[in-house]
Amino acid sequence: DVLMERINAFFGAFMDAPYEEKWELAEKGIAEEPELFDSETVFEVANSLFDQAVAAGEAERFERLLDQIEKAAPVLPNSSFEKVL
């Protein structure tokens, strides 16, 4: 499926990227291709950034990213979104 290929391509690039580039990829992806952010992608992106964001004193930046995901991503059932985050 084409969507799954795009999700896998995004995720591969995201996981291989250094910290700041991960932020750029996540923010650009959410803005330009929100359909890529299914519950699994949201979980992996959030999980990958959380510890580093907190350690860097960027908890607010992380919260803004979650808000951006919540507004732009495909509708996730509320319980699923809350479990992911």
Side-chain angles (χ1 to χ4, degrees):
D1 143 343
V2 175
L3 179 59
M4 187 55 64
E5 289 175 15
R6 290 174 49 219
I7 290 171
N8 289 337
F10 167 82
F11 191 66
F14 178 84
M15 293 308 290
D16 291 339
Y19 178 69
E20 276 305 318
E21 193 174 323
K22 284 183 180 184
W23 281 102
E24 293 170 18
L25 288 168
E27 291 167 349
K28 181 179 178 184
I30 294 161
E32 296 177 6
E33 299 182 279
E35 66 276 8
L36 301 182
F37 286 77
D38 62 5
S39 59
E40 184 176 343
T41 304
V42 170
F43 175 80
E44 294 298 338
V45 166
N47 191 49
S48 179
L49 290 172
F50 179 75
D51 289 336
Q52 291 178 346
V54 171
E58 298 182 323
E60 289 181 17
R61 183 181 187 188
F62 184 78
E63 289 178 24
R64 286 191 306 272
L65 181 71
L66 296 182
D67 289 343
Q68 185 181 1
I69 291 170
E70 188 173 21
K71 290 175 186 167
V75 176
L76 298 172
N78 252 356
S79 59
S80 293
F81 190 72
E82 290 170 5
K83 287 178 190 173
V84 166
L85 303 177

